[in-house]
Amino acid sequence: MIFFIPVVFLAASAMAVFLLIRCLAVALPGNPSWSGWRRAVVAAALACAATATASYGLGAINLMSTVAVAQDGGASSAPFPYNHPCRAQLKGPEGAVDYDVRFLALRTVCVMEDGERRAVEDVPQGVRVTAAASAACAAVLAGIVMAAEVRRMRPTAGERRQRCRPN
């Protein structure tokens, strides 16, 4: 798992840079593809997508480092090393016996001895909120632009009547 951390970092960085370059290409004057208010909305959607990609990549790297710590082993590592979030944050009479990493929600869930599942703060809340809010914002803005384009391409009532008339 430790070998995937640089791959995810490079992929997320490359995608975020690509989206930011596309954002600048749309926002700067001289782009004939988008005009008027659509230009600003598309640029904002691309900026939100870049933010979502960067923050989600940061959270995924954090989770992968949690898995790498758990797989590291060594002395005093039963069931987890001392610096694993399940061991460091959940101190008490019953300890964690297993863990589950959820990449979609960007969180680690520890399984306690009695079967109870507890989430730990291994990915900061701000990273999760930023990733979710930016992705939702990008989706809404892209939906607005797509709906406007479909509406613009739809023929008006006069054009439909003209098509239906026989020659």
Side-chain angles (χ1 to χ4, degrees), residues 31-94:
N31 186 351
S33 300
W34 304 101
S35 62
W37 64 270
R38 288 179 186 88
R39 176 185 304 243
V41 174
V42 169
L46 287 168
C48 287
T51 303
T53 302
S55 59
Y56 188 83
L58 180 65
I61 289 170
N62 203 345
L63 284 179
M64 283 190 268
S65 66
T66 298
V67 172
V69 164
Q71 292 176 348
D72 189 30
S76 183
S77 65
F80 309 106
Y82 69 93
N83 56 348
H84 190 274
C86 288
R87 187 167 179 187
Q89 294 180 22
L90 298 177
K91 298 175 182 172
E94 72 275 348

Side-chain angles (χ1 to χ4, degrees), residues 97 111 124 133 140:
V97 294
V111 180
V140 167

Side-chain angles (χ1 to χ4, degrees), residues 41-154:
V41 174
V42 169
L46 287 168
C48 287
T51 303
T53 302
S55 59
Y56 188 83
L58 180 65
I61 289 170
N62 203 345
L63 284 179
M64 283 190 268
S65 66
T66 298
V67 172
V69 164
Q71 292 176 348
D72 189 30
S76 183
S77 65
F80 309 106
Y82 69 93
N83 56 348
H84 190 274
C86 288
R87 187 167 179 187
Q89 294 180 22
L90 298 177
K91 298 175 182 172
E94 72 275 348
V97 294
D98 200 8
Y99 71 99
D100 182 26
V101 176
R102 298 184 180 164
F103 282 98
L104 188 58
L106 291 176
R107 68 178 51 223
T108 300
V109 177
C110 303
V111 180
M112 307 306 281
E113 286 179 352
D114 59 357
E116 180 185 2
R117 295 179 171 272
R118 294 186 192 169
V120 293
E121 288 291 326
D122 56 340
V123 176
Q125 181 71 19
V127 172
R128 288 196 301 264
V129 169
T130 302
S134 299
C137 182
V140 167
L141 291 173
I144 289 170
V145 171
M146 293 300 290
E149 288 297 310
V150 167
R151 187 171 186 202
R152 188 174 64 92
M153 301 295 262
R154 190 178 337 164

